[in-house]
């Protein structure tokens, strides 16, 4: 069962049900009553059965040592009284020696310290040399140490484990209760919102022509970006920019471009943490759609175009300057997971009775924008698949002419894809201004039709904005196992879709 480790603020899984069970076993093992110690030993065996991959090193060493101590109390009176043959004493010595040897082998794990030699480690941890010598005598000596010395060593080890494992564990850990992480979740969501808002601010300043941190009027944002940049060396930042250019991102070498990389890095790190609380992609999409950034308010949207004033939106499209605020972020995200989910939730919001008319319209326009982008991807994928060898050679020669290094150029699918995007735009002028997503294959999540059915069965005044693009994407979705079902679906709803489109 899980418990919380306060020192590191992490959750880890352990074999005891809760700290009450752990505390009872602790008290029983270090009790002066043999019956209580037997119960404590049996509890350790239960933990070992619950955790086949291994229990904590401190608990394992305690199990080994307490087992031989209890065995000694059981059989020694019979050995001393002559009721058992003398070789049973040798068995006891061997068991004691192995328990001490295993304790010393686990010492680095128990102490979280790794000096050069076992003697150096033991000295720093106040373990006498004579205890360490038992390991050497057991492994390499002709005879085992005496039973008296081995008993003393075992009791010393148990006392040491008490001080360095059991006592520390009792002070450092508390129960972790499922569902009791609301504060951590809220903190993580707040952090995600801050990152998204920072991104929006940086892109606004960049679109206004700012290139350095010093030009940013918000002093708090200035300090934050400077602090983040200090975590990276200039060489590492150059390497990150170079990798992005290789992937097709044309970011200039300015501080504001570096800020974009820093914020995306923060976003991805925060998303990794959010995986503790559920689907990290869904959490991010929810954050994007909750605020007034992605689904901009009328006042904020009016900054970008005179055609989109505070009284409402036109039915045509989102302002290109506003859309470009989010272009890079959308291309940096886990597109195969995020884009289908984002489209689904936007479609739901476009007909939601709980949203204002403006936000419904904004959601519908974003659906239109994303579906147009996915249609562009679809056309590009088809062109790449039909690309002939002569066309690939032509792309290769073009790359070689543009490259400063004329020799080592390896033609990749990414190069072909990038060139085919230009060809699609040439053949389809209406797609030139459409957002280009860095996707080389349509995400499989787009083939799900349940949310589309909901949109059809519950249409809204905004539905007409994106329905033609829904048909283009889903009706002709490649390699779909639900093809027959989709044909039936569209035969039933296509007339209705065209009716809503006019």
């Amino acid at each position: 069962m899980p418990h919380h480790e306060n020192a590191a603020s992490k959750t880890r899984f352990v074999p005891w049900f809760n700290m009450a069970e752990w505390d009872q076993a602790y008290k029983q093992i270090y009790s002066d009553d043999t019956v209580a110690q037997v119960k404590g030993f049996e509890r350790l065996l239960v933990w070992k059965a619950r955790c086949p991959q291994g229990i904590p090193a401190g608990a394992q060493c305690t199990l080994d040592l307490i087992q031989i101590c209890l065995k000694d109390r059981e059989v020694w009176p019979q050995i001393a009284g002559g009721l058992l043959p003398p070789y049973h004493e040798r068995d006891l010595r061997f068991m004691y020696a192995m328990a001490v040897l295993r304790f010393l082998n686990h010492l680095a794990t128990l102490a979280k310290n790794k000096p050069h030699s076992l003697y150096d480690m033991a000295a720093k941890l106040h373990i006498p040399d004579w205890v360490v010598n038992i390991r050497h005598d057991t492994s390499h000596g002709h005879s085992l140490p005496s039973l008296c010395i081995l008993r003393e060593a075992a009791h010393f080890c148990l006392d040491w484990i008490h001080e360095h494992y059991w006592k520390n564990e009792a002070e450092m850990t508390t129960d972790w209760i499922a569902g009791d992480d609301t504060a951590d979740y809220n903190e993580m969501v707040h952090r995600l919102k801050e990152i998204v808002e920072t991104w929006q601010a940086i892109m606004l300043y960049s679109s206004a022509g700012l290139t350095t941190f010093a030009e940013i009027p918000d002093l708090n944002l200035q300090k934050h970006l400077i602090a983040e940049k200090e975590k990276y060396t200039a060489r590492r930042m150059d390497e990150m920019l170079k990798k992005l250019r290789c992937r097709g991102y044309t970011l200039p070498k300015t501080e504001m471009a570096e800020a974009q990389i820093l914020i995306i890095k923060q976003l991805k790190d925060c998303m990794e943490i959010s995986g503790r609380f559920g689907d990290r992609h869904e959490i991010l999409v929810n954050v994007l759609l909750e605020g007034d950034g992605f689904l901009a308010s009328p006042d904020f949207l009016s900054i970008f175009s005179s055609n989109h004033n505070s009284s409402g939106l036109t039915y045509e499209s989102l302002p290109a300057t506003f859309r470009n605020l989010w272009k890079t972020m959308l291309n940096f995200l886990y597109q195969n997971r995020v884009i289908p989910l984002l489209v689904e939730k936007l479609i739901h919001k476009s007909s939601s009775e709980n949203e204002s008319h403006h936000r419904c319209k904004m959601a519908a326009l974003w659906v239109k924008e994303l579906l147009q982008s996915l249609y562009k991807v679809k056309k590009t994928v088809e062109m790449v698949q039909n690309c002939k060898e002569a066309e690939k050679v032509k792309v290769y020669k073009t790359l070689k002419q543009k490259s400063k290094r004329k020799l080592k150029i390896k033609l990749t699918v990414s190069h072909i894809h990038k060139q085919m995007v230009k060809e699609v735009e040439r053949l389809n002028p209406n797609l030139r201004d459409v957002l280009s997503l860095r996707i080389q294959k349509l995400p499989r999540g787009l083939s799900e039709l349940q949310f589309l059915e909901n949109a059809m069965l519950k249409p809204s005044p905004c539905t007409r904005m994106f329905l033609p693009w829904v048909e283009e994407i889903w009706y002709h979705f490649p390699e779909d196992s639900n093809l027959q079902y989709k044909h039936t679906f569209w035969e039933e709803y296509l007339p209705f879709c065209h009716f809503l489109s006019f």
Side-chain angles (χ1 to χ4, degrees):
M1 297 299 292
H3 81 284
H4 190 262
E5 187 179 272
N6 294 330
S9 297
K10 294 179 180 178
T11 300
R12 61 188 175 96
F13 290 87
V14 290
W16 46 88
F17 183 74
N18 53 31
M19 286 305 292
E21 180 185 342
W22 183 92
D23 188 59
Q24 183 183 35
Y26 170 33
K27 290 177 179 177
Q28 288 171 337
I29 289 164
Y30 286 95
S31 170
D32 293 331
D33 181 16
T34 300
V35 175
Q37 284 190 327
V38 170
K39 290 182 179 179
F41 168 68
E42 291 173 346
R43 180 53 53 186
L44 292 178
L45 291 176
V46 170
W47 292 355
K48 193 169 180 66
R50 287 176 183 170
C51 197
Q53 69 271 25
I55 58 178
Q60 180 61 59
C61 290
T62 305
L63 175 62
D64 296 336
L65 290 163
I66 201 71
Q67 181 177 13
I68 181 54
C69 289
L70 292 173
K71 186 70 174 177
D72 190 2
R73 293 178 204 172
E74 178 187 347
V75 302
W76 178 249
Q78 299 178 56
I79 296 171
L83 299 176
L84 287 175
Y87 65 79
H88 282 279
E89 179 185 351
R90 187 182 182 284
D91 291 345
L92 283 179
R93 289 164 63 193
F94 181 75
M95 291 175 68
Y96 266 120
M98 289 303 298
V100 174
L101 185 147
R102 284 169 63 85
F103 163 77
L104 293 170
N105 287 342
H106 280 297
L107 200 57
T109 303
L110 291 169
K112 298 180 181 178
N113 196 342
K114 296 183 179 180
H116 294 297
S117 73
L118 184 59
Y119 282 98
D120 291 339
M121 187 189 303
K124 290 185 178 182
L125 298 171
H126 307 291
I127 297 173
D129 288 350
W130 66 268
V131 175
V132 182
N133 288 338
I134 290 174
R135 181 177 182 269
H136 182 272
D137 293 341
T138 301
S139 303
H140 308 290
H142 296 289
S143 62
L144 295 171
S146 68
L147 190 58
C148 181
I149 292 176
L150 289 168
R151 283 171 177 160
E152 190 66 27
H155 288 125
F156 174 88
C157 294
L158 279 171
D159 290 341
W160 190 94
I161 294 171
H162 174 268
E163 293 300 317
H164 293 83
Y165 172 72
W166 291 96
K167 195 174 179 180
N168 287 343
E169 194 82 0
E171 295 172 354
M172 298 275 296
T173 60
T174 57
D175 286 334
W176 178 86
I177 302 170
D180 194 31
D181 49 5
T182 306
D184 290 341
Y185 174 78
N186 291 336
E187 183 181 348
M188 180 274 302
V189 169
H190 178 70
R191 175 67 178 142
L192 266 179
K193 288 179 179 178
E194 285 184 335
I195 292 171
V196 171
E197 289 170 2
T198 303
W199 173 268
Q200 183 177 319
I202 288 171
M203 296 305 294
L204 277 172
Y205 289 135
S206 296
S207 64
L210 277 63
T211 59
T212 65
F213 296 162
E215 297 174 277
I216 298 175
D218 187 337
L219 295 180
N220 289 329
L221 180 57
Q222 260 192 49
K223 292 177 182 178
H224 172 70
L225 293 174
I226 292 170
E228 285 298 317
K229 185 178 177 180
E230 286 176 352
K231 297 178 183 178
Y232 301 91
T233 62
R235 181 178 177 182
R236 187 178 176 190
M237 184 61 71
D238 287 340
E239 288 175 353
M240 293 167 72
L241 282 167
K242 186 177 179 181
K243 287 180 180 178
L244 290 173
R245 291 192 189 100
C246 290
R247 292 172 58 188
Y249 296 102
T250 54
L251 293 176
K253 193 175 180 181
T254 65
E255 284 191 328
M256 295 304 286
E258 292 173 347
Q260 294 181 36
I261 299 173
L262 295 173
I263 299 306
I264 290 295
K265 179 74 167 60
Q266 289 180 353
L267 180 64
K268 290 190 174 183
D269 290 344
C270 194
M271 283 185 70
E272 291 299 319
I273 296 171
S274 68
R276 287 175 48 201
F277 306 99
D279 186 337
R280 64 179 185 268
H281 306 104
E282 184 168 7
I283 292 172
L284 173 62
V285 169
N286 289 339
V287 168
L288 276 175
L289 299 184
E290 281 176 8
D292 291 330
F294 195 76
L295 297 180
S297 64
D299 289 338
F300 181 66
L301 202 64
S302 66
I303 298 172
F304 301 93
S305 174
S306 58
N307 294 328
H308 298 74
N309 53 51
S310 58
S311 62
L313 283 166
T314 68
Y315 278 86
E316 299 303 320
S317 61
L318 295 171
T321 48
F322 168 75
R323 185 190 62 196
N324 288 337
L325 288 184
W326 303 99
K327 175 182 177 180
T328 308
M329 177 176 280
L330 289 172
N331 272 317
F332 268 111
L333 295 177
Y334 307 87
Q335 294 176 327
N336 288 336
R337 299 285 186 87
V338 172
I339 297 298
L341 187 60
L342 182 59
V343 171
E344 177 181 352
K345 287 185 177 289
L346 285 168
I347 288 177
H348 176 74
K349 277 190 176 292
S350 69
S351 59
S352 174
E353 296 177 355
N354 298 322
E355 297 287 353
S356 67
H357 179 66
H358 172 81
R359 283 176 65 84
C360 287
K361 197 174 287 188
M362 278 293 298
L365 288 175
W366 263 119
V367 173
K368 178 185 174 183
E369 293 285 351
L370 292 172
L371 292 184
Q372 285 178 321
S373 299
L374 290 168
Y375 178 72
K376 189 174 181 179
V377 170
K378 177 175 174 286
K379 299 293 287 185
T380 304
V381 170
E382 290 173 354
M383 191 164 286
V384 170
Q385 290 173 345
N386 297 327
C387 183
K388 297 179 181 179
E389 194 62 34
E391 292 174 295
K392 293 180 181 179
V393 171
K394 185 178 178 182
V395 172
Y396 177 79
K397 288 181 178 179
T398 303
L399 284 172
K400 194 169 182 179
Q401 289 174 354
K402 291 182 178 179
S403 175
K404 295 179 181 179
R405 298 170 62 189
K406 301 292 184 182
L407 298 176
K408 297 181 180 179
I409 301 175
K410 185 178 180 181
L411 188 66
T412 65
V413 175
S414 180
H415 292 134
I416 301 294
H417 185 90
K418 188 176 180 180
Q419 188 62 35
M420 291 304 106
V421 169
K422 295 178 182 179
E423 186 65 15
V424 167
E425 291 176 346
R426 187 184 70 80
L427 297 173
N428 302 271
N430 61 313
L431 296 178
R432 287 176 184 171
D433 295 329
V434 170
L435 184 69
S436 293
L437 296 175
R438 304 286 179 180
I439 305 177
Q440 296 180 9
K441 186 177 181 181
L442 284 177
R444 296 302 304 171
L446 292 172
S447 63
E448 299 295 330
L449 281 166
Q450 183 60 48
F451 66 91
L452 285 175
E453 289 188 60
N454 294 337
M456 301 302 172
L457 295 173
K458 189 183 177 183
S460 74
C462 300
T463 309
R464 60 176 292 279
M465 298 180 189
F466 55 79
L467 275 178
W469 297 101
V470 170
E471 178 188 350
E472 289 291 346
I473 297 294
W474 274 271
Y475 184 61
H476 302 289
F477 198 93
E479 302 175 6
D480 198 324
S481 58
N482 296 320
L483 194 58
Q484 184 59 46
Y485 168 70
K486 290 176 71 171
H487 280 297
T488 304
F489 174 79
W490 284 108
E491 284 174 5
E492 182 176 351
Y493 286 103
L494 199 55
F496 178 60
C497 295
H498 285 302
F499 173 75
L500 289 177
S501 301
F502 292 101

